[in-house]
Amino acid sequence: MTDAVLSAPIVKPAPDRERLAAFGFVAPSALIIALVFVLPLALLLGVSVLDGKGGVTSAHYVRLLGTPYYLGVIWNSLRLGLLTTLIAFLVSYPAAFALARARGALRSILLATLFLPLAASVIVKAFAWTILLRSDGLINETLIALHIIEDPIRMIFTQTALIVGAVNIFLPFMVLPIYAVVAQLDGRYAEAAATLGASPLVVFFRVILPLTLPGIVAGVALVFSLSVSAYVVPTLLIGEKYPTLATTIAKAYLLAREPGFGAAAGVVLLAIAVIVVALSARLSQEPK
């Protein structure tokens, strides 16, 4: 009996059907992502190192990262992203708590004020700010009618107009992630900390702020990525006075006919976005 068992052929286990099924579901999505995202990015990277004659060169990156003017352009983009993100956070954080504590019709109205602007194009909203801020715009006309000023104040085509417009346009992308976290916040944690003798500041910094950190990280990543790569907003609100990476890319492709340099600027802009997303993912991880 033992010899018969030992001499029986070994049956190989059947393939894992669950893994095959999972691969079958994932494969189409992976193919679409590869064609829509990976392939264009690979082409962008390839164009950025071509010299136009079929050779490989790093001249575009040397020009972009080694010229004071273009270093200033990179700093302009980073500065726009940082200021927009900071101001949007300072406005959005208390607004998210107010929105979470609102009830009934008031909450519906507040949510509508956040979602309705998202239905309008960025171009429309940027043009609206140009109408408000120009010399004969609503703000100057109102200030003159109230006898606060005698002559129109120059508001359009200034860095203040750029920051104000960018904050207004990208503000919902900061409020909504923070609100999503604050709405699920259990108030008993703060009450327990206060019962144990913690001051309001300690409760905020040791309890509330850490619990809302995922929403903050998500909002910061969204707003910074959108504002640092914005093209329409700086073009309409400040023009040539504040060159950014996005406007430099557009000029390289549309005016200067330098696709290699434009691609290099695009790769740098993409690297900035990837770094922000990576840092955001790192910060959003729960400590082990």
Side-chain angles (χ1 to χ4, degrees):
M1 183 67 179
T2 304
D3 296 337
V5 172
L6 293 175
S7 61
I10 299 176
V11 179
K12 296 182 179 179
D16 191 344
R17 293 183 178 180
E18 292 183 358
R19 292 184 180 180
L20 290 176
F23 178 77
F25 282 112
V26 171
S29 301
L31 180 61
I32 293 174
I33 292 175
L35 293 176
V36 176
F37 293 100
V38 178
L39 181 60
L41 293 178
L43 292 175
L44 180 71
L45 182 61
V47 173
S48 69
V49 295
L50 294 178
D51 59 2
K53 300 178 182 179
V56 178
T57 179
S58 61
H60 302 308
Y61 290 98
V62 172
R63 176 185 172 190
L64 183 63
L65 301 176
T67 306
Y69 173 80
Y70 289 112
L71 289 177
V73 169
I74 296 174
W75 168 242
N76 285 345
S77 298
L78 292 174
R79 183 173 181 271
L80 174 61
L82 291 171
L83 288 177
T84 302
T85 303
L86 176 61
I87 298 174
F89 168 71
L90 294 177
V91 174
S92 299
Y93 198 75
F97 277 89
L99 183 60
R101 294 181 180 179
R103 294 293 182 269
L106 179 59
R107 174 181 284 189
S108 300
I109 294 173
L110 293 176
L111 285 173
T113 60
L114 283 176
F115 283 106
L116 287 178
L118 296 177
S121 170
V122 175
I123 299 176
V124 173
K125 290 182 281 189
F127 266 119
W129 274 105
T130 63
I131 295 172
L132 288 173
L133 298 175
R134 63 190 184 188
S135 298
D136 58 345
L138 180 62
I139 296 178
N140 271 312
E141 292 293 337
T142 302
L143 293 176
I144 292 175
L146 295 175
H147 302 288
I148 298 176
I149 59 174
E150 295 182 358
D151 299 317
I153 301 174
R154 184 167 179 253
M155 299 180 183
I156 196 67
F157 299 124
T158 61
Q159 293 189 23
T160 301
L162 173 62
I163 299 300
V164 170
V167 170
N168 172 261
I169 291 171
F170 300 123
L171 189 65
F173 298 98
M174 180 71 76
V175 176
L176 292 175
I178 298 177
Y179 163 72
V181 175
V182 172
Q184 301 177 7
L185 192 63
D186 193 342
R188 291 176 296 180
Y189 291 115
E191 294 176 0
T195 302
L196 294 174
S199 65
L201 285 178
V202 173
V203 171
F204 175 75
F205 285 105
R206 298 293 298 274
V207 179
I208 303 298
L209 189 61
L211 290 176
T212 57
L213 187 59
I216 296 173
V217 171
V220 167
L222 281 172
V223 173
F224 183 84
S225 299
L226 291 171
S227 55
V228 78
S229 59
Y231 171 72
V232 173
V233 177
T235 300
L236 294 180
L237 295 182
I238 198 170
E240 300 290 335
K241 296 182 178 180
Y242 198 89
T244 62
L245 279 172
T247 58
T248 300
I249 294 170
K251 288 180 181 178
Y253 275 99
L254 301 178
L255 299 178
R257 304 295 182 182
E258 297 179 335
F261 183 72
V267 171
V268 172
L269 188 58
L270 176 64
I272 294 173
V274 170
I275 291 172
V276 171
V277 172
L279 290 176
S280 301
R282 179 71 176 176
L283 290 174
S284 61
Q285 291 179 352
E286 295 183 359
K288 297 181 180 180

